Amino acid sequence: MVFGLRRVFAFSLSTVVGYSVYDAHKERIWCTAEAEDASEAREKLRLKHVVMLTRHGDRTPITLNLGKNCSMTPEERTFWHSKLPSSSVLCYLADLHPVKSKQYVVDITMDEISGQLTEKGLMSSIAIGNQLREKYVEEHRLLPKKLQPEHFAVRSTDYRRTIQTAQSILWGLYPDGERAEHNQIPIVVAEPAQENMVIASTACPRERELLKLAMIANAAAATAPYDLNVLGESLRHSLGIEGRLSWLHVAEVLICRQAHKYPFPQGITAETVEQVKDVTSHLWSSYFDDRELCRLTSGRLIGDMLHHLELSRFDRSPVRFSLFSAHDGTVLALLSSLKVSDRKWPEYNAYVTVELYEGVRSKSHFVKLLYNGNEVRWPNAADNFVPFEEFEKVARELIPVDFPKECQAKTQTPTRHI
């Protein structure tokens, strides 16, 4: 069955839309950092661990009935089915790196179209894996040339698209020829009560409460890049929406159509899509200006990331690469929590990496943050490398001390769909 899969997926990374091959000249095996101690200035650093949070790849629309002028017809359903990966490829992925979960059951034949990873999304995820291989296997030599599962920890939310994205990234990181037949990296899916990568989770009433209050207050509307009343009325008319307009739902449907050149309803243009994206980014970024909301949405995930880094820092684990596969809101919330967000909506396959380095001579530890492969300067930092202790301090301020207690609702808010 794996017949020809290697041949089918042989491709040039430069041909994958929206993704460029990693420029090996941007990084060097030995990096430098400015240290407070002059004797440590320009000290050689060794990469010890990478934590990566990624959004899933390109997908089909989640909202099937946006309005009377934008509801999924049988013809459109057929169109989206044609964009899905083949069952043989999905079965191969499921066997390659299986899911470790009590509740998740792989059912490749299930007839679902909503929110499914497309072939385009699978291919771009493989391309990300290839980029990671070039950087962390070939260049930094953090990871071995042949797959050794003990060096990996992988977790995904309980969605096919995020699980298949993680599997595709791992496939690109270790193609068939670079792995033993039975070497598998299990994809861990947390129990619902422990899941910390889904925004507006029912497990945290206070989180949902804060989001609802922010939406009802609508304070960010005054500083929005467009007049929301005018743009909203235009969208209602073009899409046939009756009642409340969800910017998030409108954005995700139009982005899917645009990515696959599926016709827009009359009155919707490419410019309209960019306007909706801008508004959605603006509104949700403003929600995450609330530090309490950041603690509840990202704090536990940041705690998990910190735990992986600390284990490597003290050489207490063989894991060198920790992968978290989640959603756009997860990425935006994390960037906002760390105060490094560009306030733009994370695209498909957007990813954040936190790299842990050790001084070859001093054994001091530093952290570097990257977004989509580009270095990000920490707030008030003089250099892209920050002492681990500074990162740890910021992280611990965001980790809830008593999550169940902090998640208790505090007010009565009107019922409103998020």
Side-chain angles (χ1 to χ4, degrees), residues 138-196:
E138 304 297 340
E139 185 181 343
H140 282 277
R141 300 178 184 176
L142 172 71
L143 301 171
K145 289 185 176 292
K146 296 288 185 179
L147 175 61
Q148 297 177 24
E150 65 270 20
H151 292 317
F152 291 85
V154 183
R155 185 157 69 84
S156 170
T157 58
D158 196 15
Y159 291 82
R160 282 195 187 90
R161 60 182 179 271
T162 53
I163 291 170
Q164 292 165 358
T165 294
Q167 292 168 331
S168 300
I169 289 174
L170 294 174
W171 190 6
L173 185 55
Y174 284 96
D176 294 350
E178 307 301 334
R179 55 186 302 279
E181 184 177 354
H182 301 295
N183 272 358
Q184 297 177 322
I185 301 173
I187 312 293
V188 175
V189 173
E191 297 288 338
Q194 277 70 53
E195 180 56 74
N196 56 26

Side-chain angles (χ1 to χ4, degrees), residues 8 37 40 48 67 77 87 160 172 186 215-216 225 241 243 252 254 275 310 341 359 382 391 411:
V8 170
D37 184 352
E40 292 184 5
K48 291 196 70 174
R77 178 176 287 272
S87 295
R160 282 195 187 90
M215 291 177 181
I216 292 169
I241 296 176
E252 69 96 0
L254 296 184
Q275 291 174 340
E310 286 184 321
S341 173
F391 169 77
T411 63

Side-chain angles (χ1 to χ4, degrees), residues 15 18 27 40 68 73 126 128-129 154 191 236 257 376 417:
T15 64
E27 299 284 348
E40 292 184 5
K68 63 182 181 181
T73 62
I126 293 174
I128 294 292
V154 183
E191 297 288 338
R236 285 190 183 90
R257 289 191 171 207
V376 176
H417 179 71

Side-chain angles (χ1 to χ4, degrees), residues 89-105:
V89 169
L90 294 180
C91 286
Y92 179 68
L93 281 177
D95 290 337
L96 196 65
H97 299 297
V99 176
K100 183 180 180 181
S101 168
K102 294 180 181 178
Q103 60 268 11
Y104 182 83
V105 179

Side-chain angles (χ1 to χ4, degrees), residues 47-66:
L47 182 61
K48 291 196 70 174
H49 194 104
V50 174
V51 173
M52 175 176 172
L53 169 67
T54 184
R55 185 192 179 188
H56 56 76
D58 178 89
R59 60 160 171 79
T60 61
I62 295 174
T63 308
L64 303 183
N65 185 11
L66 189 59

